[in-house]
Amino acid sequence: MHPYDFVIATLIVQSLAAIILALLLWMFLRSLEHHYLKQLALAFTALSIHLGVSAVEVLAFFAELDSLVLTNMLVIAQIVSFMAFLTWLLMGMHSGLKQQPLSTSAERTIIGVAATTGAALGASYTFLSANSQLADIVRVSIPYGIAALVFIRLAWQMQSVRKQFPSMISPILGTVAFVLSGLFMLYSSATNLTLEEAARPLFQAPFVALISLMNLTLVGLSTVIWLLENEQERVRLAKVKALSAEQRLLYFRTHDAPTGLPNQRQVQNLLSQEMLRVLASQDRKVAVLALGIHRFKAVSEAIGWQKTNQMVQDLIHRIRDKLPERFVLGRTGERDFMVLMPNTRRQDDAVAHAEKILARLKLPFIHENREIFINVSGGMSIGPKHSDDAAVLLNQAHRAQLESASTGQELVLYQSFERDASSPANLIQRETELRQACREGEFTLYFQPLVGIRKRQIEGFEALLRWKHPSRGILTPDHFLQDAASLGVLDELEDQIFAQALDQLSDWHQDFAMSPVSVSVNVSAERFQQPDLPEKLIAMCQARELDPAYLDVELTENAAITDFEAGLDTIQRLRDQGIKVSLDDFGTGYSSLAHLQRLQVDYVKLDRSFVQGIEHDKQQLALTRAVVELIHSLGMRVLAEGVENRSQLGHLIKCRVDLVQGHLLGRPQPAEAFRELLQGDHLTAF
Ligand code: C2E
Ligand code: CA
Ligand code: CA
């Protein structure tokens, strides 16, 4: 066989090998759908074409076919397919090794450079005479030189994969294949530049053909092995991921995500385990303390969630502070915590711990130099005294905590209160009932006159909520307000209340335009903390064409104090809009004169306690007088609440209060009850 027949034969074999490899890659692509497989398949298709064309070219050369056009076309096809091979190889290997597609801009750059180079080479070749050395440089040296760079670059990149997956053999195989191919290309490119024609690689045919066949086999083999290994690795990773997902899931099922504390489920698990130990011993007890934070929503809305998280961390820190290691703290709801106190000998010890925790939580939290107060209620149950079942014990502690919240006691021990009222079933029933009442419009407003002392005239009315209960009659707020607030029904209710109160005000203003009255509406701490309150109220006034000066918002000191600075801001914004603001129940709660100085409101409503006994207690009278004087000196008006008899009224007049409210001047009644009075001169009985 002539040596060149051998060259042509190996070129054809290589071309077939390349196309088989390409087909393999296309097949892989169909099942694996990796982005880089398509580029590699295209690369080897291009290589196959390149080799096929080369075979034809060698054939034409030695057959001494003297068609310049044909030779030129073949050479251009050779160059273009070779550049296409390099381009797709580079892109496919790069994104395959990195396991992510190249960026579009990088892809465009590579294709652009390759296309320009290919076009330039093709064009220059056609202008050169076919057999000159320069033509061979364009045809062989430059493309092979570029190929050498690409191969060495890929061999280099293989190293990072080899380090990442030391057990894989394809990176080693790939490195060898690319280094050899690179060196071979470099050698071919360089010798073509310098050697005599006869010494050029193409003319050392069989030896060179064998090497390049070997190289291609190596490249193909390593590519296929790499794909298989890659797939194995992917399956392994997927398994690891699935496993860790399961572990994470387990963690989230048993822990509160934001704080990492055990959740309700986990607390119950731990308590069950402890109960086994308790039951096995003689005198061992376990105490369960349920802690509920009040106004959590209001506070968190006021300070934002990030600060809320900080506050919760601070809270956890305070609860845990100085507690024995064996105690377990869990978070059982957004605003609920549980402390398990295992191995407790005496109930009193547990109570002492609970009281210390509650005392620590009572101290204000500092937020941007402001003091934020939260209220916390605690309930406790003891195992096995109250039950030997973990779930029941947790439930009992929770119910005791609810009882503590509604009675205002700090800590309630399970057995010490009526058991059924706050049973969960009962609570759900009450919530359903409240929501239904809300929908059915069973809530209505009664109005109680606020009377100005100087003119002895009704200046306005306080709107007081009543529930027209279908079976229990008219209920006052003390029967349902606490529930409505804790069950979240109040939010919904309060918008209705404002709407009803303003509708009534609008009616009064239309009917008695000569002497307009005002209406005062109570607003809960929760509602007061919502930043949109002023805007909402103004919009409601505008919708009814009411002057906001006739709307008065009553809030308690506690509502204003939760976040004092934010409270001041809301008050200011309400007043800026022309809405009046009253400080309700002054003299109860956190009352401090220092606070009063900073709370600029329109009216201060003295709590009934300032009025009761004023008629026969000189000290009480002196105190009330001093307080009224002080409030006046701060530029605010004073209203005295709960005035029940003439004697009280007389003393209050002496104390120079501005307004009075109470049964003496009128009980809360439906609006119609005041029609006659308002038609007349507004004068009240005294
Ligand atoms: P409050 O704001 O201090 O309202 C005054 C309460 O004193 C009313 O009780 C009223 O009926 C009662 N009262 C008036 N004059 C006298 C008197 O001469 N003697 C006595 N002993 N009591 C008198 P009510 O209507 O039962 O309301 C209780 C509380 O419920 C209110 O206290 C207020 O804090 C709250 N509340 C009432 N309506 C609403 C409302 O619409 N929204 C909100 N958030 N709270 C409301
Ligand atoms: Ca009030
Ligand atoms: Ca009051």
Side-chain angles (χ1 to χ4, degrees):
M1 192 166 91
H2 193 278
Y4 299 112
D5 293 341
F6 185 79
V7 171
I8 293 167
T10 40
L11 278 173
I12 291 173
V13 171
Q14 284 186 70
S15 171
L16 286 175
I19 200 70
I20 289 172
L21 187 58
L23 287 173
L24 258 172
L25 290 168
W26 286 114
M27 260 167 54
F28 271 116
L29 177 67
R30 275 174 58 190
S31 60
L32 298 182
E33 290 185 355
H34 293 320
H35 47 271
Y36 58 85
L37 282 180
K38 189 169 161 190
Q39 289 162 336
L40 290 181
L42 285 169
F44 286 103
T45 309
L47 180 64
S48 169
I49 293 171
H50 170 75
L51 293 164
V53 173
S54 300
V56 175
E57 201 224 327
V58 177
L59 195 72
F61 182 74
F62 290 103
E64 289 177 18
L65 266 176
D66 248 353
S67 162
L68 191 65
V69 179
L70 182 70
T71 323
N72 279 353
M73 269 173 59
L74 286 174
V75 171
I76 289 173
Q78 219 185 359
I79 293 174
V80 169
S81 56
F82 194 67
M83 292 311 287
F85 161 65
L86 289 182
T87 310
W88 275 317
L89 183 73
L90 192 63
M91 295 197 302
M93 290 305 285
H94 188 89
S95 56
L97 292 176
K98 291 230 153 137
Q99 291 291 321
Q100 64 184 42
L102 274 175
S103 68
T104 337
S105 61
E107 228 168 65
R108 276 198 201 131
T109 314
I110 295 178
I111 293 174
V113 170
T116 321
T117 318
L121 290 176
S124 3
Y125 183 82
T126 48
F127 287 114
L128 297 167
S129 83
N131 290 327
S132 68
Q133 177 156 14
L134 213 53
D136 277 350
I137 290 176
V138 168
R139 191 173 61 101
V140 180
S141 291
I142 297 180
Y144 283 15
I146 297 172
L149 291 179
V150 169
F151 289 159
I152 301 293
R153 162 101 184 73
L154 289 175
W156 181 257
Q157 210 174 355
M158 283 275 170
Q159 298 318 296
S160 61
V161 183
R162 208 170 54 87
K163 279 187 203 127
Q164 202 183 343
F165 305 105
S167 62
M168 283 190 179
I169 55 161
S170 57
I172 303 169
L173 218 58
T175 307
V176 173
F178 283 125
V179 167
L180 283 181
S181 305
L183 289 176
F184 175 61
M185 287 291 152
L186 208 59
Y187 167 77
S188 310
S189 167
T191 48
N192 206 43
L193 284 178
T194 54
L195 294 178
E196 286 301 302
E197 197 171 84
R200 288 184 200 154
L202 188 63
F203 300 93
Q204 305 170 358
F207 164 68
V208 171
L210 267 180
I211 289 188
S212 56
L213 183 61
M214 195 189 77
N215 275 345
L216 182 68
T217 316
L218 213 56
V219 168
L221 205 67
S222 57
T223 308
V224 173
I225 295 179
W226 172 54
L227 275 173
L228 294 174
E229 282 185 330
N230 220 2
E231 204 44 28
Q232 263 180 3
E233 180 62 19
R234 221 174 54 86
V235 172
R236 193 186 66 81
L237 272 179
K239 274 189 191 155
V240 169
K241 267 193 197 153
L243 199 74
S244 70
E246 201 172 287
Q247 274 167 355
R248 274 214 307 274
L249 215 67
L250 183 71
Y251 180 84
F252 283 122
R253 274 209 303 265
T254 51
H255 289 79
D256 168 60
T259 59
L261 292 178
N263 66 7
Q264 169 92 32
R265 183 193 292 253
Q266 181 71 349
V267 167
Q268 188 170 325
N269 290 343
L270 295 170
L271 184 58
S272 301
Q273 288 163 18
E274 178 57 22
M275 275 321 290
L276 294 177
R277 276 174 237 135
V278 167
L279 293 173
S281 84
Q282 290 294 321
D283 56 348
R284 208 167 152 142
K285 292 184 184 62
V286 58
V288 181
L289 171 66
L291 296 166
I293 306 164
H294 305 268
R295 299 192 297 201
F296 184 82
K297 202 170 144 231
V299 171
S300 93
E301 267 168 15
I303 66 178
W305 66 268
Q306 275 167 320
K307 298 283 176 191
T308 304
N309 284 350
Q310 274 176 24
M311 198 185 74
V312 169
Q313 291 301 339
D314 197 359
L315 208 98
I316 292 170
H317 191 72
R318 287 192 195 187
I319 298 175
R320 276 196 178 137
D321 197 24
K322 299 191 188 89
L323 284 189
E325 284 282 333
R326 63 178 195 280
F327 284 17
V328 175
L329 172 62
R331 194 181 192 193
T332 51
E334 195 186 22
R335 46 162 120 172
D336 298 304
F337 292 87
M338 287 272 180
V339 183
L340 302 184
M341 307 182 178
N343 208 359
T344 296
R345 299 228 169 258
R346 296 180 326 127
Q347 180 174 306
D348 288 353
D349 297 342
V351 170
H353 276 303
E355 279 170 348
K356 278 186 205 145
I357 293 173
L358 287 164
R360 287 199 291 271
L361 294 177
K362 240 170 52 182
L363 300 172
F365 289 85
I366 307 295
H367 164 60
E368 289 175 356
N369 297 327
R370 311 171 190 176
E371 294 187 335
I372 296 178
F373 292 87
I374 53 160
N375 284 350
V376 181
S377 53
M380 187 180 263
S381 60
I382 311 275
K385 184 174 164 191
H386 297 136
S387 169
D388 53 16
D389 182 291
V392 174
L393 273 173
L394 288 178
N395 194 263
Q396 289 167 337
H398 183 59
R399 282 158 63 185
Q401 181 255 311
L402 287 180
E403 176 69 12
S404 130
S406 65
T407 57
Q409 289 166 270
E410 273 201 340
L411 182 66
V412 170
L413 203 64
Y414 174 67
Q415 89 272 13
S416 60
F417 70 95
E418 236 272 275
R419 288 162 198 227
D420 298 327
S422 54
S423 74
N426 215 311
L427 217 68
I428 290 169
Q429 192 201 328
R430 268 151 48 201
E431 180 177 353
T432 316
E433 209 184 359
L434 274 168
R435 289 203 185 277
Q436 194 177 341
C438 212
R439 274 198 309 274
E440 305 278 333
E442 290 175 8
F443 289 104
T444 183
L445 291 178
Y446 273 26
F447 293 88
Q448 184 175 32
L450 313 176
V451 178
I453 297 282
R454 213 158 56 85
K455 294 193 185 164
R456 302 189 171 201
Q457 269 185 351
I458 296 177
E459 288 193 13
F461 292 90
E462 177 174 11
L464 293 160
L465 189 61
R466 295 293 180 265
W467 182 358
K468 283 191 189 163
H469 196 280
S471 58
R472 290 160 66 196
I474 306 280
L475 298 179
T476 49
D478 49 328
H479 289 94
F480 58 84
L481 207 62
Q482 181 72 41
D483 268 356
S486 64
L487 296 170
V489 188
L490 194 60
D491 268 359
E492 201 177 324
L493 204 56
E494 281 195 308
D495 286 343
Q496 279 189 22
I497 293 169
F498 271 114
Q500 271 193 42
L502 288 173
D503 283 344
Q504 184 55 56
L505 186 65
S506 168
D507 284 356
W508 278 331
H509 280 205
Q510 264 164 30
D511 295 349
F512 315 109
M514 294 301 289
S515 40
V517 289
S518 63
V519 68
S520 304
V521 182
N522 292 285
V523 54
S524 65
E526 264 79 7
R527 188 69 185 87
F528 180 65
Q529 302 290 336
Q530 291 170 12
D532 64 353
L533 182 70
E535 287 72 28
K536 233 176 167 172
L537 294 184
I538 284 297
M540 291 176 95
C541 286
Q542 278 168 354
R544 294 167 178 79
E545 293 180 339
L546 282 169
D547 180 351
Y550 293 102
L551 172 62
D552 181 298
V553 172
E554 290 197 14
L555 55 107
T556 62
E557 246 178 304
N558 293 359
I561 226 166
T562 304
D563 179 351
F564 197 69
E565 304 296 324
L568 290 184
D569 179 55
T570 309
I571 292 173
Q572 192 56 50
R573 285 193 296 133
L574 285 165
R575 297 185 72 209
D576 285 346
Q577 302 274 13
I579 297 171
K580 299 277 190 298
V581 178
S582 295
L583 187 64
D584 205 352
D585 299 348
F586 183 75
T588 61
Y590 294 101
S591 231
S592 82
L593 294 175
H595 278 144
L596 188 61
Q597 273 178 10
R598 300 191 55 205
L599 281 170
Q600 267 299 322
V601 292
D602 300 282
Y603 301 97
V604 176
K605 298 184 81 173
L606 294 188
D607 183 64
R608 243 200 340 269
S609 55
F610 280 102
V611 176
Q612 276 169 349
I614 198 176
E615 65 274 44
H616 35 247
D617 187 342
K618 281 228 164 67
Q619 273 185 333
Q620 178 71 57
L621 180 66
L623 177 70
T624 305
R625 187 181 299 209
V627 168
V628 174
E629 205 174 276
L630 178 91
I631 297 170
H632 278 162
S633 75
L634 296 171
M636 301 179 255
R637 298 179 82 199
V638 182
L639 181 147
E641 290 188 309
V643 183
E644 292 179 343
N645 59 51
R646 290 197 161 268
S647 173
Q648 284 170 346
L649 179 65
H651 283 91
L652 289 167
I653 292 174
K654 278 187 213 152
C655 290
R656 308 179 69 92
V657 302
D658 304 283
L659 293 141
V660 282
Q661 174 184 6
H663 292 168
L664 177 71
L665 306 138
R667 286 177 181 265
Q669 291 174 78
E672 305 83 82
F674 299 102
R675 176 155 277 278
E676 242 182 71
L677 199 66
L678 290 173
Q679 266 167 348
D681 51 11
H682 289 56
L683 284 185
T684 48
F686 74 94

